[in-house]
Every structure is written in structure tokens, then in C-alpha cells.
Amino acid sequence: MTSFTLHELQCFDAVVRGGSFQAAARLLHRSHPSVFAAVAKLEYQLGLNLLDRTGYRVRLTEAGRSFHRKVRPLLREAEELSTHAKQLAMGEEAELRVVLGDLCPLPPVLGLLSRFFGQCPQTRLHLQFEAVTGPWERLLEDEADLIVHRVPKGDMRMEWIDLGRVAMVPVVAPGFLPFQPTTAITPQQMQGFTQCVVRDSARRPSEQGHFLVEGAPQCSVPDQFMKKELILHGMAWGHLPRFMVDAELRDGRLLSIVGRYFPGVIEELVAARRRDRPHGPVANRLWDFLARHAPVLRPALGRMPRAKGASGD
């Protein structure tokens, strides 16, 4: 038996993941014949039939299934080794791309970024602001080095640092509702009132809207700041981060309608980056800097406030 190559193992794995040689060729950005030849050569060198080609879709043989279980961790280690080598070869980055999401508390986060980049004059901060799933899209499409937002923590492409919890509170301005707000307000009661929502800035939104009342009129805005202004002026109602409205809730300029049917939600604010990409020395120092200064929000801002002066049924 002669030694097989990493390329042959990658082609074999891609066929298993894609279910066909054509799909594997697309995954690897290679031609169909080159993938077919690599897998055939691997089987010849091993003296094993790894794939059953008799059906419509290519399937693993018993030997192929056992072999593939060993191949996967080997390919992961090879990818990690390649990433580590790229990191070692990197000099200090000329630019870092950071995306702040609509749940990001700007004063503490911008304060940290200002302090950090003030010590890195050779690296320019390229800052963008995105909403809803826009930050994820920028990160996953390699248009950002780091984001500050919420993330789907089950996505193994990302790693994160917890920066605090954000309570998303349903609020109205005094007098917006023609009845007394109570903890028992129902979606049916709110159907006649305009609900303000933040527009998803992703090119291909991957989530349905949050907290939407079916059948209610809606207005959409690009960020939480405009949403807050509309709600303060009695033009709509909606959910806002508690860190943005804590003062208004205390002095009565906004009223919480937290209750049985509108419980609000607690979001986890994180700094996130790709786990499967190399990161240069400045990016790694920024990551460590944020970890040392977490959390960035007071714990109280991650708790749901009670509806002030509201009563039940």
C-alpha cells in the first residue's frame, strides 16, 4: 500500500458530505473528473471499496463508514494546523473590520474600542453598524473580523465572549393606549396599534421577525435609536433594550407592558469571531482585551423590569 494524500482524503470526505461526486466538486471548487480520480486512487491504494456507486446517490460501504470516522478528525487537525501556520505568518494587520449590532450598548463598547485602537496606531479600525441578522451575515461571509451582537451559539463556526445580558422590554408612551396598561394585555388588544420593528440589514435575512403581533399595522426603522424616538413620541409601541430606556422607565416617560402575553426576552450580548479562520496578532490582542473587560453591562440591565403601576385582571 502506498501513502495517500490529504487531497484524496478531502475529496473522499466531500463526496460523503455532498452525496455525489458532482456535489463534492462544487464544495471543493474542483472539476468532477479530478474528484472522481482522487477517490478512485484512494480506494486503489487502500485496497478497499469505500463507496457504493450502484444507486442513484453514492453511499458509504461498511469499510467506507469505518474509514470516514477516522478521516474526519484528521481533516479537522489538518485545517487547524493550516490556520495556525497562517497566524504565525501574519504581520500586524493594517485594518480590522468590526461590526456593531443593534443590541450593542454604544458608550461602553465604543469606549473600549477607542482605548484599544489608541494603542495600535498602525491598525485602522473599520467600523460598521448592522441590524438583526446583518452582523452574522457579515461575519459568516468574511466581511467582518469581529462582531458585537447576539449569535446563535449552536453555530460551531463562531466563538464568542459573553459581554452581558440585554433585556428587551415591551414599552409604550403614556397615553398611547386608550386603556390602562396591565400585566394582562393581550395580543388581540394590541392589534389596532402600530408596532415599530427594526429592519433586518442582512441581504438574505435568515430569521422571522421577533415579537410581532399578527395583524397589527407596522412601521419599520433602521435602528433602535429611531425606534425609541417613535415610541417616545407616541407614534408606535415596541420592544427596546433596557439599557436604552432605563432612565425613561424610571421617570415615567415610557411605560413597561411586561406581562403574561408580552414577557419580553433576555438576549445574550457577545463579541464573536470565526472559529475556523486565522486571526492576526492585533485581532488576538483585541479578543483578549475584550475578554478582560467583560462584562460591559450592569447586571440589572439584563433583568426584565416590572410593569410600573400596572395591575392584573
Side-chain angles (χ1 to χ4, degrees):
M1 187 192 324
T2 57
S3 59
F4 43 79
T5 68
L6 183 61
H7 169 66
E8 290 160 2
L9 296 179
Q10 289 169 332
C11 288
F12 169 59
D13 175 63
V15 172
V16 174
R17 289 186 290 120
S20 70
F21 287 96
Q22 194 67 48
R26 287 195 297 270
L27 284 171
L28 297 175
H29 305 291
R30 294 182 177 274
S31 68
H32 178 282
S34 70
V35 173
F36 188 90
V39 175
K41 184 179 178 184
L42 176 64
E43 289 180 309
Y44 175 77
Q45 291 176 141
L46 295 173
L48 293 171
N49 289 323
L50 300 175
L51 299 171
D52 179 354
R53 300 168 173 80
T54 59
Y56 175 72
R57 286 177 64 85
V58 175
R59 294 180 300 170
L60 285 167
T61 63
E62 279 301 314
R65 189 170 294 108
S66 178
F67 186 71
H68 188 250
R69 280 197 295 268
K70 299 288 187 181
V71 166
R72 287 301 302 145
L74 178 62
L75 291 179
R76 279 195 297 271
E77 287 185 17
E79 188 172 334
E80 289 171 7
L81 184 60
S82 175
T83 296
H84 184 61
K86 290 175 183 175
Q87 289 174 335
L88 293 175
M90 280 181 170
E92 291 208 345
E93 304 93 312
E95 176 183 87
L96 277 183
R97 303 160 301 167
V98 175
V99 170
L100 304 183
D102 61 284
L103 296 184
C104 177
L106 293 181
V109 173
L110 290 177
L112 287 176
L113 292 176
S114 176
R115 283 174 55 193
F116 178 81
F117 283 96
Q119 301 166 8
C120 304
Q122 303 307 313
T123 301
R124 184 173 73 90
L125 169 62
H126 180 76
L127 199 58
Q128 285 184 270
F129 299 86
E130 301 288 346
V132 193
T133 65
W136 307 349
E137 185 179 74
R138 301 297 174 270
L139 185 65
L140 295 176
E141 295 192 359
D142 289 324
E143 296 173 9
D145 300 300
L146 181 138
I147 65 172
V148 179
H149 195 46
R150 60 185 176 90
V151 297
K153 289 189 172 180
D155 191 326
M156 298 310 294
R157 293 171 294 180
M158 303 183 197
E159 59 182 342
W160 63 86
I161 298 166
D162 287 308
L163 297 179
R165 303 168 82 220
V166 177
M168 295 295 294
V169 188
V171 293
V172 298
F176 177 75
L177 298 175
F179 49 82
Q180 178 66 29
T182 73
T183 58
I185 290 177
T186 66
Q188 288 74 25
Q189 285 178 283
M190 298 299 289
Q191 274 185 331
F193 303 101
T194 300
Q195 183 177 7
C196 189
V197 297
V198 173
R199 232 171 5 253
D200 196 335
S201 65
R203 292 181 289 267
R204 293 176 294 280
S206 58
E207 284 194 336
Q208 297 297 316
H210 283 188
F211 325 120
L212 297 182
V213 173
E214 187 175 355
Q218 291 180 10
C219 63
S220 66
V221 293
D223 55 50
Q224 302 286 359
F225 297 98
M226 186 173 290
K227 183 177 181 180
K228 177 181 175 180
E229 287 302 315
L230 263 68
I231 295 172
L232 276 170
H233 284 83
M235 301 173 71
W237 73 277
H239 290 72
L240 285 168
R242 182 172 175 177
F243 65 77
M244 288 185 66
V245 296
D246 203 39
E248 289 83 359
L249 288 171
R250 287 197 305 270
D251 65 24
R253 282 179 290 159
L254 286 175
L255 304 176
S256 164
I257 57 169
V258 170
R260 177 181 176 186
Y261 300 102
F262 293 98
V265 69
I266 306 298
E267 299 282 15
E268 294 181 336
L269 181 73
V270 305
R273 67 180 184 178
R274 290 289 293 268
R275 188 193 304 272
D276 55 350
R277 292 291 186 271
H279 302 286
V282 179
N284 282 323
R285 291 204 299 271
L286 174 59
W287 188 254
D288 294 340
F289 178 83
L290 292 175
R292 288 197 306 273
H293 289 86
V296 299
L297 284 170
R298 291 184 288 112
L301 298 179
R303 294 199 293 265
M304 200 59 61
R306 299 186 62 171
K308 190 172 183 179
S311 58
D313 293 326

